[in-house]
Amino acid sequence: MTLLTFRLHQGFMAGVVSWGWRRLLPVGLALALSACAANNVPSPQQDAQPRAQVPSLPGVPGTAGETGGAPDQSLEAVNEAEAALAAPVKVGLLLPLSGSRAAVGQSILNAAQLALFDLAGERFTLVVRDTGGTPEGAAAAAQSVLDAEVSLILGPLFSTSVEAVKPLLAELDMPLITFSNNNEIADPRTFVMGVTPRTQVDRIVDHAVNQGLRRFAVLAPESPYGNSVVRSLQEAVFRNGVELSRVVFFDPGSPDISAEVRSLADYDQRAAALKAQRRSLSGRSDVAAQRALARLRGQETLGPPSFDGILIPASGRQLLSVAPLMAYYDVDPDEVRFLGTALWDDPSLRREPSLRGAWFPAPPPALWRSFSNRYSQVYGKTPPRVASLGFDAVALAAVLERRARAEGAFLIYTPDAITQPVGFSGIDGIFRFLPDGQVQRGLAVLELQPEAFAEVDPAPQAFGQEVN
């Protein structure tokens, strides 16, 4: 079996859909836009691609792949089957299209429309509702799409909104694929699609250990995100049989975290050790002692920190203020490898000299560049990184719908379909959902260089390889 893929075509995603189930859609089938979005959201022009070809459905009379069916098959059963296969499939999309995060919600919707254009079949309908970015708005939006008789819900974006929606779905046995990256809200019917802290930390720690690092430290914000990163690091270190020597939290709202960095670096103890060593050597007159004393000139501390890898789950200005402090308190990037999370996927970080050579995990950059270029061509702006989730989620829903029709299946978004072990491949690389609702992803490891991010360890292409 192979990954269900959403691949590049003429610089962007098109309907190249392949899988290894019993009945196959033709590889390379071009799918036209035929879904509709609610709330008067503008869609790409329908005539931009040729009309989709309906795939053959072996064993169902009246389709291109007719075999006649079983001899005792009743006409009523055949009519029911044809009616079910011809019925539209509705998928709800819940996004913050108003409020403080409206721009993010709109970017996800824009990406979702591109997936509709490239991958949706004629009877696939996307029902879009605005959550307003609040739990109350999310609950109302969810009820609205449920009233529209959707079969699957994509979104919301925030974990608090997801918690408000879940009670509405509890008795309906309906799956929810959320854009959140909070694993705490995952369950067998709530699938977390975001690039989670656990996935990121597992990837970067596994790579660092493979490169010889054995002692780790973390400087994390005192926040739910920071706490999640630290828990994930503790688990990753234990799994790899290495050491977590230092854990230091800082107030993300504080303008000065010098004290925290100084403590993390064991600066005072190492500086005291240097003074003691100098006093000891100064009391001796032999040549060896004098040479050792000369080697200590210009040093501020004695010996390296108690770690050879430091994870800093911060971003932007915060990270740019932390990195020089590490050097100031004698954490030498030539001796200690700086490690980050996907928050480091920010070109502005390349101007910081102390971060050169640092590693961080991220989705495959080539796929993102192709998507970003196409998005910019269509919408005239660069998408935020989270927009790719909108494309991949709608693409997943669309191709599962086409697969079900090709196989003559009445139930589309079943747990078995969503959690298929072979997984999916989209803009953010390969991913698959586990039965408990968590996501596994195949990420790349990038290195910060002045000119660009260098891909030092490419993302895996299949789940037969080692993937977190």
Side-chain angles (χ1 to χ4, degrees):
M1 298 179 72
T2 59
L3 290 165
L4 190 155
T5 58
F6 328 134
R7 298 183 184 169
L8 298 176
H9 174 66
Q10 294 181 346
F12 190 56
M13 301 291 175
V16 182
V17 182
S18 63
W19 50 67
W21 294 284
R22 290 189 302 274
R23 296 169 183 169
L24 307 180
L25 282 175
V27 175
L29 178 67
L31 308 181
L33 170 66
S34 57
C36 60
N39 292 354
N40 298 318
V41 178
S43 300
Q45 293 298 315
Q46 188 166 346
D47 60 359
Q49 287 193 6
R51 184 177 179 84
Q53 303 175 19
V54 179
S56 298
L57 304 179
V60 180
T63 70
E66 179 175 347
T67 63
D72 60 347
Q73 189 175 30
S74 68
L75 179 60
E76 182 180 355
V78 172
N79 290 337
E80 289 179 355
E82 289 182 331
L85 291 173
V89 171
K90 298 179 182 179
V91 171
L93 178 61
L94 311 183
L95 293 170
L97 300 175
S98 62
S100 61
R101 303 305 296 275
V104 175
Q106 185 62 52
S107 71
I108 297 175
L109 177 57
N110 290 345
Q113 291 182 104
L114 294 176
L116 286 176
F117 181 73
D118 284 344
L119 289 162
E122 291 186 350
R123 289 177 287 275
F124 184 94
T125 299
L126 193 63
V127 182
V128 182
R129 294 292 184 267
D130 177 19
T131 68
T134 68
E136 297 79 12
Q143 187 59 60
S144 178
V145 297
L146 291 175
D147 292 342
E149 300 182 341
V150 299
S151 301
L152 170 71
I153 294 180
L154 307 177
L157 178 60
F158 308 115
S159 58
T160 52
S161 295
V162 175
E163 294 289 10
V165 168
K166 288 170 70 172
L168 299 176
L169 307 182
E171 298 181 0
L172 299 178
D173 207 29
M174 181 181 297
L176 176 75
I177 298 178
T178 173
F179 302 125
S180 170
N181 66 352
N182 183 0
N183 270 335
E184 300 298 321
I185 62 174
D187 64 43
R189 285 287 172 177
T190 305
F191 300 95
V192 174
M193 191 174 184
V195 184
T196 64
R198 178 179 177 180
T199 296
Q200 299 171 48
V201 172
D202 281 350
R203 180 64 168 107
I204 198 62
V205 171
D206 287 353
H207 175 76
V209 171
N210 287 338
Q211 300 305 308
L213 275 64
R214 291 295 179 267
R215 294 170 294 120
F216 291 83
V218 57
L219 178 66
E222 185 68 74
S223 66
Y225 172 73
N227 291 331
S228 179
V229 168
V230 171
R231 287 195 301 271
S232 299
L233 179 60
Q234 291 168 334
E235 294 171 1
V237 164
F238 178 79
R239 176 171 49 80
N240 278 283
V242 292
E243 177 185 353
L244 180 56
S245 63
R246 300 285 288 162
V247 177
V248 175
F249 288 95
F250 65 89
D251 179 358
S254 174
D256 183 10
I257 61 171
S258 301
E260 289 86 349
V261 176
R262 187 180 188 126
S263 172
L264 174 80
D266 291 324
Y267 182 83
D268 293 340
Q269 294 89 333
R270 294 163 60 214
L274 177 64
K275 290 180 180 179
Q277 181 76 341
R278 281 174 172 163
R279 284 195 302 268
S280 174
L281 293 172
S282 297
R284 295 165 51 184
S285 57
D286 57 281
V287 175
Q290 294 304 308
R291 288 177 177 174
L293 189 60
R295 287 195 295 270
L296 295 178
R297 292 194 186 111
Q299 293 189 20
E300 297 182 14
T301 61
L302 183 65
S306 60
F307 48 87
D308 52 16
I310 171 69
L311 178 63
I312 311 174
S315 63
R317 292 181 180 177
Q318 192 173 70
L319 179 58
L320 289 173
S321 67
V322 169
L325 283 174
M326 300 292 288
Y328 182 80
Y329 288 111
D330 218 20
V331 178
D332 188 347
D334 290 335
E335 296 178 339
V336 175
R337 181 74 65 171
F338 289 5
L339 308 172
T341 63
L343 294 174
W344 287 28
D345 196 359
D346 177 358
S348 69
L349 302 181
R350 298 204 303 263
R351 70 172 183 261
E352 172 51 50
S354 61
L355 290 177
R356 291 176 185 173
W359 296 330
F360 68 94
L367 294 175
W368 167 255
R369 283 194 297 269
S370 295
F371 167 75
S372 180
N373 290 339
R374 175 58 175 163
Y375 184 104
S376 299
Q377 292 170 8
V378 174
Y379 297 109
K381 61 182 68 174
T382 301
R385 197 60 187 82
V386 72
S388 56
L389 295 176
F391 187 99
D392 283 357
V394 172
L396 182 154
V399 296
L400 284 182
E401 183 265 343
R402 292 195 69 87
R403 170 205 173 187
R405 292 193 189 279
E407 296 186 344
F410 301 119
L411 298 178
I412 300 173
Y413 303 115
T414 63
D416 285 345
I418 294 173
T419 63
Q420 54 185 288
V422 293
F424 307 90
S425 180
I427 293 168
D428 288 332
I430 64 171
F431 65 99
R432 64 181 174 187
F433 295 112
L434 303 179
D436 64 0
Q438 297 192 50
V439 68
Q440 287 185 323
R441 288 188 172 276
L443 302 176
V445 174
L446 308 184
E447 182 175 289
L448 269 75
Q449 297 294 344
E451 301 81 14
F453 295 133
E455 192 171 5
V456 295
D457 193 10
Q461 300 298 308
F463 280 102
Q465 306 171 40
E466 188 67 25
V467 171
N468 300 306

